[in-house]
């Protein structure tokens, strides 16, 4: 019997013999693709080893655990079974074939099944032919269990003895405690458990990345999207390094667009070891005492250089097209480049790829054809594609709360089931209104506006202040009293849903405040500009500035913290000398960072924690996958450091001056309106009274908008703690690799895991869960949802590159109707001048800083122009550093506009393309009066 199959010998129907990974590699080789050479040790070898050592009876005895078995019982049984493998002897026939196949790899110069299709030799790392040794699951493992797919990889394995040991470890990984528990829950018979092993030489990659053979942002099958970075590919797959992104036309190889990133770090071999780059391109595990990988700075000459030029991108795209054609479906491909040659490391189908519309590939597919989709109010809180769990939970929650609000405003018979919703299109959230339902609602609009203005039925400013806000706090208080660690999985998930529903009800109530605030400001501005303002008079916003909203109070709190720290001897330099990341981690752990005086830390920590307790719930993004400042206060710490260095202006003084100017101009205007000849007439008195009435309405209503929005995330720190507690339990149960991966599960997957008992509290005395690093080092089984989680993250990164249309379907008349409600310029703007909406006056020339979210806040330098898709109240701390603000989305009444005016900096909003057209470091001129952003070019 032969126990070895070369990749080229593995057929499509050999899953039961070679496992899924082995079959996938065989397909690539038979398709003529460049694949690093290797072979499969078949499942027959596993069976022969077990038979030769007489292990089957003992394995079955140890694995036959009662239904009430505890996690520790599984740990004990696993240790005993794996010891049987370690103490076993490899049958001579298997050992001989394995050694011979390995020797052929060592002697192989690249003229076997690892040849490139163009005849060039495979570039592999020498010094003993290091190989990756990976488990390859069989069909029996994969078909019957929703949580199946345990896998294990050992990297940088050298020598026949090390290879034998790695194979034994792969075989024994079938009997980890987690794998056994899964099979018991799923009813998989012991006789169905088999495993193949893939052995493959590793590529010394100078560059690597991921390639989608269809565009995940828009579903177009005629576009190939490539992400590329210097060094090894593991960090590209996991998303921990910044990549170049290139879109290639599949048919012609023409580069349609490219974004060349500032690549600060790269993943390289550590300590001279072989690359941590298996055929999967991801670090499933490590062989003991091997080199592994490390991060190092990218050489300065390479940081802003494209990893792939147009020719290389076209060549790689041709491989992608061949693979997609061979498999007959769009593929997600991991690739590497060595000595200028490309190698395909893995290929798998893309899941959740949006289908392009039949009429035109540029149209985003609509889930319900008869309706309107727009990214209006909620766009300020959901600027990015949604994480899977949030998308599943938020749609129903928003639909229920929105329908309830509209029923209160216009009557229960007007809004019907299916009339409203919050579906996702290509990952992005859209408000949906069925066409027939919209006409019914519009007929009741005047009465609804009256209800809002009067605060009827829990709506408007009065309803927010007296009902919605207090109720939200009460729900949060109830769940805050419970200890997350002591709750069952069912209770935790119920708490998440209850708090999310409370948050959406609150947010929907806030949406009834926003039109009142907007209408009051628009009305005052129009009246003032048309009937009151003369040449030399201040702009209308002068009368509305100087009020302390919640974001402004948060800014003052940080400024006061810095002022206090300067008064404590030694504290300011201690904070400035600590890396921001170290301070943030220390804040979470309560322990002082290394090198900081504990006495100083004891003074600082409670003061900063008090700020987080008061303001740390402000959301950067309503999607709970995104940390809030209470979780990661790095951005706030950078602002404190900014103030400690003596930079920025005193917000107390700025607000005092704005308020004084407001009151002075109000007195001057009222006095002028009263003393003129017109002012003494009935018309003049009426005009003066209307001015006062509209001014007071705007001054009372407009600031409430920011206060209401600032508290949308009140429950988010607790929701995240509950979900991360669930995530930690699922790590222990082997479902996911790290707690935060819980956000990338679908609702039904999490619900199933909870129902299966996989999210139960850990009993006292049970073994600690294995951290991801420990899993890699010890070779523990790969978490069962790890692959699908990473695939969803990659899909999300592809979708995040898209510019989501503000309105769907994109018809001319719809744009005219709704453009004033949600300004965003055409995404087809060309040339050096980008047009938007001038939302705060002034003109500034400065370098741009393009930020995608809080993870980038540390890059912001004082005096730069803040460029973002949109800002929320949680971004306010950056306005103190910014010289101007530019956004893709927003208008004169958006958060960006309101805060920019308070800070006295220019703002151009609603450009539609700024984050795509501009790059960090570019010199630009922002003209808030003209509503333009101009890219400046160096002279000569």
């Amino acid at each position: 019997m032969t126990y070895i199959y070369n990749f080229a010998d593995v057929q499509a129907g050999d899953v039961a013999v070679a496992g899924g990974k082995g079959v996938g590699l065989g397909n690539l080789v038979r398709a003529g693709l460049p694949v690093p050479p290797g072979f499969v040790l078949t499942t027959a070898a596993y069976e022969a080893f077990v038979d030769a050592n007489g292990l089957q009876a003992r394995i079955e005895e140890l694995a036959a655990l009662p239904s009430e078995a505890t996690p520790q019982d599984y740990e004990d049984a696993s240790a005993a079974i794996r010891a049987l493998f370690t103490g076993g002897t490899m049958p001579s026939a298997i050992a001989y074939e394995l050694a011979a196949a390995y020797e052929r790899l060592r002697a192989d110069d690249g003229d076997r099944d690892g040849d490139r299709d163009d005849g060039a030799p495979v570039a592999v790392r020498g010094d003993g032919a290091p190989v990756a040794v990976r488990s390859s699951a069989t069909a029996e493992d994969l078909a019957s269990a929703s949580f199946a797919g345990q896998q294990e990889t050992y990297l940088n394995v050298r020598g026949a003895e090390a290879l034998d040991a790695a194979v034994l470890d792969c075989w024994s990984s079938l009997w980890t405690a987690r794998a056994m528990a899964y099979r018991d829950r799923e009813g998989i018979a012991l006789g169905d458990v088999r495993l193949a092993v893939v052995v493959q030489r590793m590529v010394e990659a100078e560059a690597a990345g991921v390639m989608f053979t269809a565009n995940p942002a828009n579903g177009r099958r005629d576009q190939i999207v490539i992400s590329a970075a210097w060094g090894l590919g593991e960090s590209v797959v996991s998303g921990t390094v910044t990549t170049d992104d290139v879109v290639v036309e599949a048919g012609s190889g023409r580069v349609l667009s490219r974004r060349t990133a500032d690549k600060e770090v790269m993943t390289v071999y550590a300590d001279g070891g072989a690359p941590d780059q298996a055929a999967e391109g991801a670090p499933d595990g490590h062989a003991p005492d091997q080199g592994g990988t490390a991060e190092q700075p990218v050489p300065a000459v390479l940081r802003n250089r494209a990893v792939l030029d147009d020719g290389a991108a076209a060549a790689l795209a041709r491989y992608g097209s061949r693979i997609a054609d061979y498999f007959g479906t769009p593929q997600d491909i991991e690739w590497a480049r060595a000595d200028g040659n490309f190698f395909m490391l893995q290929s798998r189908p893309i899941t959740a790829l949006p289908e392009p519309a039949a009429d035109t590939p540029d149209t985003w597919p609509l889930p319900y054809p008869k309706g309107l989709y727009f990214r209006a109010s909620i766009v300020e809180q959901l600027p990015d594609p949604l994480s899977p769990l949030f998308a599943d939970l938020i749609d129903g929650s928003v639909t229920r709360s929105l329908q309830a609000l509209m029923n209160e405003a216009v009557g229960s018979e007007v809004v019907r089931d299916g009339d409203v919703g919050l579906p996702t299109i290509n990952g992005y959230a859209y408000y949906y209104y069925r066409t027939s339902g919209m006409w019914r609602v519009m007929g009741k609009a005047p009465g609804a506006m009256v209800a809002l203005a009067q605060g009827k039925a829990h709506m408007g400013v009065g309803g927010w202040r007296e009902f919605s806000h207090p109720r939200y706090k009460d729900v949060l208080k109830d769940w805050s009293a419970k200890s997350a660690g002591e709750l069952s999985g069912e209770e935790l998930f119920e708490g998440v849903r209850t708090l999310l529903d409370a948050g959406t009800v609150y947010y929907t109530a806030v949406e009834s405040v926003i039109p009142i605030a907007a209408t009051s400001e628009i009305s005052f501005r129009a009246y003032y500009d048309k009937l009151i303002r003369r040449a030399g008079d201040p702009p209308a916003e002068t009368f509305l500035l100087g009020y302390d909203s919640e974001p402004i109070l948060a800014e003052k709190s940080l400024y006061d913290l810095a002022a206090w720290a300067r008064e404590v001897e030694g504290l300011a330099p201690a904070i400035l000398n600590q890396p921001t990341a170290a301070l943030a981690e220390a804040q979470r752990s309560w322990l002082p960072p290394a090198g900081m005086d504990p006495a100083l830390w004891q003074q600082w920590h409670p003061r900063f924690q008090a700020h987080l307790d008061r303001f740390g719930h402000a959301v950067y993004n309503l999607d709970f996958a995104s940390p809030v400042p209470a979780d990661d206060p790095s951005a706030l710490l950078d602002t404190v450091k900014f103030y400690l260095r003596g930079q920025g202006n005193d917000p107390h003084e700025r607000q005092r001056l704005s308020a004084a100017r407001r009151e002075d101009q109000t007195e001057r205007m009222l006095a002028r309106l009263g003393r003129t000849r017109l002012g003494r007439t009935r018309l003049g008195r009426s005009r003066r009274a209307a001015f006062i009435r509209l001014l007071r309405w705007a001054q009372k209503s407009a600031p409430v908008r920011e206060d209401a929005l600032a508290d949308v995330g009140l429950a988010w720190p607790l929701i995240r703690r509950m979900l991360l507690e669930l995530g930690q339990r699922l790590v222990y149960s082997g479902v996911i690799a790290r707690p935060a991966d819980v956000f990338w599960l679908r609702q039904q997957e999490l619900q199933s895991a909870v129902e299966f008992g996989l999210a139960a509290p850990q009993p006292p005395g049970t073994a600690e869960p294995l951290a991801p690093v420990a899993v890699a080092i010890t070779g523990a089984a790969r978490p069962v949802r790890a692959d699908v989680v990473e695939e969803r993250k990659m899909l999300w990164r592809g979708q995040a590159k898209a510019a989501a249309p503000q309105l769907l379907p994109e018809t001319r008349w719809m744009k005219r109707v709704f453009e004033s409600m949600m300004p965003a310029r055409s995404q087809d703007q060309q040339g050096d001048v980008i047009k938007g909406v001038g939302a705060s006056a002034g003109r500034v020339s400065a370098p741009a800083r393009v930020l995608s979210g809080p993870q980038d806040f540390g890059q912001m330098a004082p005096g730069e122009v803040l460029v973002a898709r949109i800002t929320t109240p949680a971004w306010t701390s950056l306005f103190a550093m910014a010289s101007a603000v530019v956004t893709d989305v927003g208008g004169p009444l958006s958060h960006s506009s309101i805060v920019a005016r308070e800070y006295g900096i220019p703002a151009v909003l609603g450009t539609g393309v700024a984050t795509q057209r501009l790059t960090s470091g570019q010199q630009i001129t922002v003209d808030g009066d003209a509503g333009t952003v101009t890219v400046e070019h160096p002279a000569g």
Side-chain angles (χ1 to χ4, degrees):
M1 173 181 288
T2 179
Y3 297 106
I4 299 294
Y5 279 18
N6 290 325
F7 289 160
D9 299 327
V10 179
Q11 303 300 311
D14 287 341
V15 175
V17 175
K21 298 294 184 185
V23 168
L25 289 166
N27 285 333
L28 290 177
V29 169
R30 285 199 313 282
L33 278 304
V35 176
F39 57 86
V40 178
L41 184 63
T42 67
T43 55
Y46 171 85
E47 294 170 342
F49 173 85
V50 171
D51 290 343
N53 289 275
L55 303 183
Q56 188 64 31
R58 183 61 175 150
I59 289 174
E60 292 181 2
E61 178 186 348
L62 291 168
L65 296 173
S67 58
E68 65 272 14
T70 67
Q72 190 59 49
D73 293 333
Y74 280 102
E75 294 285 353
D76 294 341
S78 171
I81 294 174
R82 300 195 77 172
L84 296 177
F85 281 84
T86 304
T89 301
M90 182 83 72
S92 58
I94 299 175
Y96 175 81
E97 286 197 38
L98 184 60
Y102 179 61
E103 183 61 30
R104 288 195 296 272
L105 277 185
R106 293 181 59 188
D108 189 356
D109 289 327
D111 57 352
R112 306 181 71 87
D113 57 334
D115 281 356
R116 291 175 48 83
D117 57 348
D118 58 8
V122 175
V124 294
R125 191 169 176 83
D127 305 328
V131 294
V133 181
R134 301 180 300 135
S135 62
S136 184
T138 63
E140 285 83 359
D141 294 317
L142 295 172
S144 58
S146 60
F147 288 103
Q150 303 278 347
Q151 294 178 17
E152 178 179 317
T153 293
Y154 293 98
L155 304 179
N156 194 22
V157 176
R158 304 185 187 192
E161 289 187 10
L163 178 57
D164 286 352
V167 168
L168 289 175
D169 284 339
C170 273
W171 285 341
S172 72
S173 71
L174 276 174
W175 303 101
T176 62
R178 290 177 292 174
M180 293 166 63
Y182 283 133
R183 290 195 293 269
D184 283 352
R185 291 187 185 99
E186 296 297 329
I188 298 174
L190 294 178
D192 293 337
V193 178
R194 294 180 296 167
L195 194 75
V197 177
V198 169
V199 179
Q200 186 174 34
R201 290 189 68 166
M202 292 188 289
V203 175
E204 185 169 6
E206 63 207 25
V210 176
M211 171 169 52
F212 292 97
T213 65
N215 193 330
N218 56 26
R220 292 187 61 162
R221 271 61 171 174
D222 60 345
Q223 295 179 355
I224 293 175
V225 179
I226 300 170
S227 294
W230 299 115
L232 307 179
E234 65 180 58
S235 50
V236 178
V237 175
S238 63
T240 57
V241 298
T242 304
T243 61
D244 291 355
D245 299 311
V246 187
V247 180
V248 180
E249 189 174 55
S252 66
R254 180 169 61 96
V255 172
L256 300 175
S257 67
R258 68 164 56 245
R259 173 183 172 275
T260 301
D262 181 2
K263 298 169 284 293
E264 298 181 355
V265 297
M266 61 191 295
T267 303
V268 298
Y269 311 145
D271 302 324
D276 197 7
Q277 173 84 31
E280 272 190 313
D284 296 306
H286 293 265
D289 303 321
Q290 300 298 334
T293 64
E295 281 192 355
Q296 72 175 31
V298 173
V301 70
L302 296 179
R303 279 187 55 164
N304 292 292
R305 178 186 297 178
V307 175
L308 301 176
D309 60 21
D310 285 4
L316 179 57
R318 284 194 291 273
Y319 283 123
S321 294
R322 284 177 56 187
I323 295 172
D325 290 343
Y326 181 83
F327 287 106
T329 185
Q331 297 287 299
D332 163 10
I333 302 163
E334 294 170 26
W335 59 270
R337 195 184 196 198
D339 298 332
N341 298 319
F342 287 110
F343 301 93
M344 304 301 110
L345 305 176
Q346 178 171 318
S347 182
R348 55 192 173 192
I350 301 176
T351 61
L353 184 68
E355 290 291 338
D359 54 346
T360 166
D362 289 323
T363 303
W364 285 32
L366 306 181
Y368 317 112
K370 295 183 178 180
L372 303 175
Y373 301 80
F374 52 89
R375 290 173 55 76
S377 175
I378 205 167
V379 77
E380 290 201 6
Q381 305 292 328
L382 294 170
D384 299 323
L386 305 189
S387 63
L389 184 61
F390 185 80
D392 287 350
L393 292 174
I394 196 65
D395 186 9
S397 185
V398 166
T399 299
R400 291 188 296 273
S401 61
L402 191 60
Q403 187 167 351
L405 172 72
M406 296 178 72
N407 283 338
E408 287 185 279
V410 299
S412 59
E413 300 302 319
V414 178
V415 182
R416 301 168 187 171
D417 290 342
D419 278 351
V420 296
L422 191 79
T424 57
I425 304 176
N426 289 354
Y428 289 87
Y430 279 83
Y431 272 129
Y432 164 73
Y433 289 92
R434 187 160 54 191
T435 307
S436 58
M438 277 200 70
W439 293 119
R440 289 195 301 272
V441 171
M442 290 175 66
K444 300 285 186 176
M449 289 303 298
V450 172
L452 290 177
Q454 295 176 346
K456 175 185 174 183
H458 311 142
M459 295 183 295
V461 175
W464 166 77
R465 184 174 286 117
E466 297 171 13
F467 175 76
S468 302
H469 203 195
R471 181 182 179 278
Y472 190 20
K473 289 181 176 179
D474 288 343
V475 175
L476 177 60
K477 182 179 178 181
D478 290 343
W479 281 96
S480 297
K482 308 175 191 290
S483 172
E486 297 175 0
L487 296 176
S488 68
E490 291 83 356
E491 290 170 326
L492 282 172
F493 202 16
E494 177 60 28
V496 167
R497 287 185 292 242
T498 300
L499 289 166
L500 182 64
D501 280 348
T504 19
V505 168
Y506 176 82
Y507 187 85
T508 304
V510 171
E511 289 185 292
S512 73
V513 173
I514 292 173
I516 295 173
T519 302
S520 68
E521 182 171 341
I522 291 171
S523 300
F524 170 72
R525 186 189 300 272
Y527 187 85
Y528 173 75
D529 288 343
K530 185 174 182 179
L531 297 177
I532 305 297
R533 189 178 183 184
R534 296 178 180 175
D537 284 346
E541 56 261 29
T542 300
F543 298 90
L544 305 178
L545 299 179
Y547 291 101
D548 281 352
S549 62
E550 282 292 296
I552 298 298
L553 291 175
E555 179 205 7
K556 287 183 174 181
S557 174
L558 290 176
Y559 182 86
D560 292 344
L561 267 172
W564 165 79
R566 281 194 295 267
E567 299 299 319
V568 178
E569 185 177 356
L571 181 55
I575 294 172
L576 290 171
N577 290 334
Q578 284 288 336
T580 299
L583 288 169
E585 179 57 36
Q587 191 69 31
R588 289 188 289 268
S589 69
W590 294 72
L591 299 175
M596 186 169 182
D597 184 347
L600 292 175
W601 179 252
Q602 289 174 8
Q603 295 183 72
W604 166 258
H605 183 276
R607 289 241 182 183
F608 187 55
Q609 189 60 47
H611 174 89
L612 295 180
D613 292 342
R614 173 68 178 82
F615 300 106
H617 58 267
V619 294
Y620 303 110
N621 185 322
L622 196 61
D623 189 332
F624 48 47
S626 179
V628 294
D631 300 313
D632 183 3
S634 298
L636 305 186
L637 289 165
D638 284 334
T639 302
V640 171
K641 289 183 174 183
F642 173 73
Y643 286 135
L644 285 176
R645 296 187 188 102
Q647 299 170 308
N649 299 317
D650 181 350
H652 295 278
E653 182 63 11
R654 184 195 68 229
Q655 292 300 106
R656 187 191 67 79
L657 291 174
S658 292
R661 189 161 49 247
R662 179 192 72 221
E663 295 304 314
D664 178 66
Q665 290 296 336
T666 299
E667 290 181 12
R668 288 172 179 267
M669 195 60 59
L670 291 176
R672 191 184 78 192
L673 290 174
R675 69 171 178 261
T676 62
R677 180 178 301 175
L678 176 62
R680 290 190 292 271
T681 67
R682 178 178 298 178
L683 176 62
R685 290 192 297 272
S686 175
R687 183 172 295 180
R688 184 175 186 271
F691 172 80
I692 295 173
R693 186 164 57 252
L694 289 172
L695 174 62
R696 298 310 179 206
W697 183 34
Q699 289 177 337
K700 177 182 178 182
S701 301
V704 172
R705 175 189 186 277
E706 292 298 291
D707 290 342
L709 283 173
D711 274 355
V712 167
L714 270 177
W716 261 237
L718 181 54
I719 289 175
R720 282 181 50 82
R721 283 200 300 274
M722 287 179 160
L723 284 171
L724 290 171
E725 173 67 26
L726 282 169
Q728 184 61 58
R729 297 178 188 182
L730 296 182
V731 169
Y732 179 83
S733 297
V735 178
I736 52 179
R738 54 191 65 84
D741 286 349
V742 70
F743 301 120
W744 298 90
L745 298 176
R746 308 296 326 192
Q747 178 182 1
Q748 188 55 53
E749 291 170 338
L750 181 54
Q751 184 69 48
S752 296
V754 169
E755 291 174 353
F756 284 147
L758 302 179
Q762 297 175 28
T766 57
E768 288 295 317
L770 294 173
V773 174
V775 170
I777 294 174
T778 63
R782 182 166 172 77
V784 292
R785 304 308 290 172
D787 286 342
V788 72
V789 163
E790 292 307 319
E791 187 170 323
R792 288 168 184 168
K793 290 179 181 178
M794 284 190 286
L795 177 63
W796 185 95
R797 290 193 290 272
Q799 292 170 331
K801 296 177 177 67
Q806 289 297 100
L807 178 70
L808 292 171
E810 294 184 286
T811 60
R812 185 175 302 175
W813 75 270
M814 286 298 299
K815 284 185 177 181
R816 286 199 301 266
V817 171
F818 287 97
E819 193 171 40
S820 60
M821 296 171 54
M822 43 184 188
R825 295 284 171 166
S826 169
Q827 296 166 1
D828 298 325
Q829 294 193 59
Q830 303 295 326
D832 290 335
V833 178
I834 300 172
K835 296 180 180 179
V837 177
S840 183
R843 194 171 188 272
V844 164
S845 293
R849 177 58 61 183
V850 182
L851 303 180
S852 61
Q855 68 276 10
D856 299 334
F857 282 8
Q859 302 173 16
M860 186 80 186
E864 292 181 325
V865 177
L866 169 59
V867 182
R869 287 195 181 201
I870 200 160
T871 69
T872 69
W875 290 62
T876 301
S877 61
L878 293 183
F879 282 66
M881 304 184 195
S883 59
V885 178
V886 177
T887 68
D888 290 347
V889 177
L893 302 178
S894 68
H895 170 266
S896 305
S897 171
I898 293 169
V899 178
R901 294 200 304 256
E902 289 284 4
Y903 279 77
I905 59 176
V908 175
L909 314 179
T911 64
V913 297
T915 57
Q916 295 181 313
R917 293 279 309 282
L918 302 176
T919 59
S920 292
Q922 268 187 323
Q923 190 75 14
I924 61 175
T925 296
V926 181
D927 191 331
D929 297 292
T932 60
V933 180
T934 304
V935 178
E936 307 293 345
H937 297 285

